[in-house]
Amino acid sequence: MSDLVDVTLKVNGSEVSHRVPARTTLADFLRQTLELTGTHTGCEMGVCGACLVLLDGTVVHSCLTFAVQASGSAVETVEGLTERAVIADLQDAFHQRNSLQCGFCTPGMLMTAYSLLSQPGVPSREEIRDALSGNYCRCTGYEAIVDAIETTARNRAEGRDAPAHEEVEA
């Protein structure tokens, strides 16, 4: 009996199908099979947030999700958000505020921030910190990251630098 399973899902709007070992995590599938290396694997225990992706619009730890569990779903990675330019203003704010140093945690931070900023209203600094509580950064501390997200939220609320918001087909 083979331990290979068929996995078919949409990744960043494109349908992909592969046969992979049953225990392949979604993070490993994205990185090794699809070569989408923006999704990082850090702790591999769902603690550090480096592996965050959107699974049917919900932020999930791809290191804790088997690829086969995502079969039939839509996955969006930081590469997909970047290609759609929906986080261009957020990326600019991270750059301007020097919110990234080694950059290892940045894709996970951007996924969390994207999810938070997709909610109505302007989050408070406390709400931003709470949202980031599942993301670890060992370089910057969090002040600059919170500043960047807050700036982006305020600019979007004022209609400045708002990215085109489009949905990815499920």
Side-chain angles (χ1 to χ4, degrees):
M1 186 166 117
S2 171
D3 69 341
L4 297 179
V5 294
D6 292 319
V7 174
T8 300
L9 60 155
K10 272 194 176 171
V11 178
N12 299 330
S14 298
E15 188 164 314
V16 296
S17 294
H18 287 274
R19 181 168 277 236
V20 298
R23 298 190 59 80
T24 299
T25 66
L26 181 56
D28 288 341
F29 179 75
L30 294 169
R31 290 184 55 81
Q32 296 168 6
T33 305
L34 303 181
E35 298 180 352
L36 294 170
T37 57
T39 302
H40 293 164
T41 52
C43 67
E44 299 188 57
M45 300 184 308
V47 175
C48 74
C51 68
L52 293 175
V53 298
L54 293 172
L55 180 63
D56 292 330
T58 301
V59 176
V60 300
H61 292 94
S62 62
C63 73
L64 297 180
T65 305
F66 290 120
V68 69
Q69 291 175 300
S71 194
S73 295
V75 174
E76 189 157 27
T77 67
V78 72
E79 290 95 338
L81 296 179
T82 299
E83 287 173 16
R84 291 193 303 125
V86 294
I87 57 170
D89 57 343
L90 186 59
Q91 290 170 312
D92 285 345
F94 267 62
H95 178 75
Q96 289 174 7
R97 190 59 186 91
N98 196 26
S99 303
L100 39 97
Q101 289 183 6
C102 83
F104 187 83
C105 71
T106 304
M109 295 283 185
L110 291 171
M111 298 303 288
T112 296
Y114 173 78
S115 178
L116 178 65
L117 297 179
S118 296
Q119 305 301 313
V122 176
S124 67
R125 290 183 70 80
E126 185 175 324
E127 289 169 324
I128 295 169
R129 287 180 200 284
D130 185 56
L132 293 175
S133 64
N135 294 80
Y136 286 165
C137 174
R138 296 181 181 176
C139 301
T140 66
Y142 295 88
E143 208 57 34
I145 294 168
V146 172
D147 290 347
I149 295 169
E150 180 182 41
T151 297
T152 302
R154 291 187 187 284
N155 286 343
R156 287 183 181 182
E158 295 170 6
R160 292 184 281 155
D161 299 328
H165 192 77
E166 56 187 70
E167 298 294 322
V168 171
E169 289 181 35

